[in-house]
Amino acid sequence: AKEDDAQIIIFPEFGLFGRSRLGSTPVGSRDLILPFAQSIPKVNTRILECYDEHVGDDGDITLNVVVRLARIASAYKIVVVANVAEVVRESFGVENDIVRIYNTEVAISEDGILLGKYYKMNPFFKKTFDKPPPSQRPVIFKTYFGVDFGMFVCKDIFHAEPQKQLLAAGIRHFPYSVAMPNNWLSRWIFKL
């Protein structure tokens, strides 16, 4: 993409999850998605300074997928937008821990800085992903090439929010990640 002077690359929703060992997509259940879910730092964090490489028993180096994306962004000087699963653990004592899993869109600058993090407001897989807290505000990120982007994911497009607030803020550019096949989407829209 960079060879063609692209300034931003956008991965599809669920595009980095792959298939589970059983052959099914991991978004079908919390148990299957949990190994793919990870903690993501706060916005404006230089990602490459946050994580250490983990060397497994087999000698393989394991990196958080957000670190891998930050390395790509930094190496090619391109903004990367990708869909990942974030796990948020809230500890209230040993037996009262709450684990939330969010369908999360991240934007990473060409320097490996987390520009934006958005939790999908209307998850399609409601038994797999949690709805974001009501305090989530529309997410806008600015790029080095002077464009402001607003974030939402797939099915969110069929709902008033966050698009209504993003448009009211003057945002007209959206790195839209979608997992729906075009033929399914077309048939569904025409039935509305």
Side-chain angles (χ1 to χ4, degrees):
K2 189 62 178 177
E3 290 175 2
D4 292 327
D5 296 324
Q7 296 170 307
I8 187 170
I9 186 166
I10 304 159
F11 288 87
E13 182 183 29
F14 309 138
L16 301 177
F17 295 160
R19 298 252 177 212
S20 75
R21 284 177 269 136
L22 302 175
S24 62
T25 61
V27 297
S29 79
R30 290 178 78 83
D31 290 337
L32 289 176
I33 198 65
L34 197 54
F36 293 88
Q38 55 203 235
S39 177
I40 300 171
K42 293 181 180 182
V43 172
N44 295 322
T45 299
R46 186 173 298 279
I47 296 168
L48 297 176
E49 296 173 1
C50 290
Y51 296 93
D52 293 325
E53 294 178 349
H54 172 70
V55 180
D57 294 336
D58 57 3
D60 283 347
I61 295 174
T62 303
L63 289 176
N64 177 302
V65 72
V66 176
V67 173
R68 290 178 185 215
L69 294 170
R71 285 185 172 182
I72 291 168
S74 294
Y76 294 98
K77 296 299 178 197
I78 192 166
V79 174
V80 174
V81 178
N83 183 256
V84 296
E86 181 173 18
V87 63
V88 176
R89 289 183 170 85
E90 299 173 24
S91 185
F92 300 101
V94 176
E95 294 185 25
N96 296 325
D97 285 0
I98 295 175
V99 175
R100 299 194 191 285
I101 303 172
Y102 297 109
N103 180 335
T104 307
E105 195 81 353
V106 294
I108 302 168
S109 80
E110 73 287 357
D111 295 321
I113 296 170
L114 187 63
L115 296 172
K117 177 168 68 168
Y118 168 78
Y119 298 150
K120 184 175 179 180
M121 291 181 74
N122 304 285
F124 188 81
F125 295 98
K126 294 177 182 180
K127 291 182 180 178
T128 304
F129 295 106
D130 293 292
K131 285 189 70 114
S135 60
Q136 176 173 269
R137 299 286 172 242
V139 176
I140 298 169
F141 68 92
K142 299 177 183 303
T143 61
Y144 73 94
F145 49 90
V147 177
D148 294 349
F149 288 92
M151 299 178 87
F152 59 89
V153 180
C154 199
K155 187 179 165 213
D156 287 342
I157 202 167
F158 296 112
H159 301 270
E161 299 303 337
Q163 294 85 282
K164 193 174 176 181
Q165 292 173 319
L166 291 167
L167 291 169
I171 302 301
R172 299 294 182 265
H173 302 281
F174 307 93
Y176 184 55
S177 293
V178 63
M180 292 184 228
N182 287 339
N183 63 346
W184 183 84
L185 183 60
S186 297
R187 279 183 264 163
W188 189 36
I189 289 174
F190 290 118
K191 289 182 179 181
L192 293 177

